[in-house]
Structures are given as C-alpha cells and as structure tokens.
Amino acid sequence: GVKHWWAQRLTAIALVPLTLWFVAALLRHAGGSRAEMIAWLSDPVAAVLMIVLLAAGLYHAMLGVQEVILDYVHAPFLRHASLIAVKLFGALLIAASVFAVLLIAAGGR
C-alpha cells in the first residue's frame, strides 16, 4: 500500500544524488589502478556512500520486482513464494554488498 509506495519514491529520490556521486567518482578515477580504487573505497565517506548506494539501489529494485509480482502473478502460492524469494534474495544481495565494501575498506582486498 502506501508504505510500499513511499519507500519506492524515497529510494528513487535518494538514488539520484548517490548515482551522480558514483558516476563522478568513476570519472575522476577512470584509468586508475586497483590500488588507487581500493584507497578511494577505504575512505570512510566513500565506503559509507557506496554502502548506502548499494543498499538503496538493491532495495529499490526489490520493491519494483515485488510490484511486478503483485500485478502479474495471480496464483496465490506462486505469488507468495515469489515474494518470499525476492525478499530473501534481495536481503542476501544487500548483505553481500555491505560485506564486500567493508572488506575492501578494512583490508584492501
């Protein structure tokens, strides 16, 4: 309902400046070495913004896929199973993304 609608809009709004920041960072570091990219992501501000970008983007995508399922999957069992799968897979992707950024930021792997 309304909560889902607001979450979709708020994540979309958050993604605008985050995406602009990310594109600007990629352009600024274009052609940089792996070590330079690790050093950039080791900066706490860059790491936090990257985590927020990934989490917001994946959550936004998850909400969008849920909406498609609700609109087009009519069999109740398949609808519920699909919604559960999307939520679990989305949570797994968000957790893996956060872990990856923290791993790079902490140890430079």
Side-chain angles (χ1 to χ4, degrees):
V2 174
K3 183 179 176 184
H4 185 97
W5 186 88
W6 271 109
Q8 187 80 20
R9 291 340 175 251
L10 290 175
T11 55
I13 291 168
L15 284 170
V16 171
L18 288 167
T19 302
L20 293 173
W21 163 80
F22 183 65
V23 169
L26 287 180
L27 292 173
R28 190 170 50 250
H29 294 93
S33 68
R34 182 177 187 273
E36 290 170 343
M37 293 305 293
I38 289 172
W40 167 69
L41 199 55
S42 294
D43 176 58
V45 173
V48 168
L49 288 174
M50 183 62 73
I51 288 170
V52 174
L53 171 67
L54 290 166
L58 289 167
Y59 186 61
H60 182 80
M62 202 169 63
L63 291 170
V65 172
Q66 287 175 20
E67 197 63 35
V68 170
I69 291 168
L70 290 172
D71 287 346
Y72 295 106
V73 178
H74 301 293
F77 174 77
L78 187 56
R79 177 186 288 176
H80 293 300
S82 298
L83 289 171
I84 290 169
V86 166
K87 289 179 182 181
L88 289 175
F89 187 65
L92 178 68
L93 284 177
I94 291 169
S97 298
V98 169
F99 178 74
V101 171
L102 291 175
L103 188 65
I104 292 169
R109 289 183 165 216

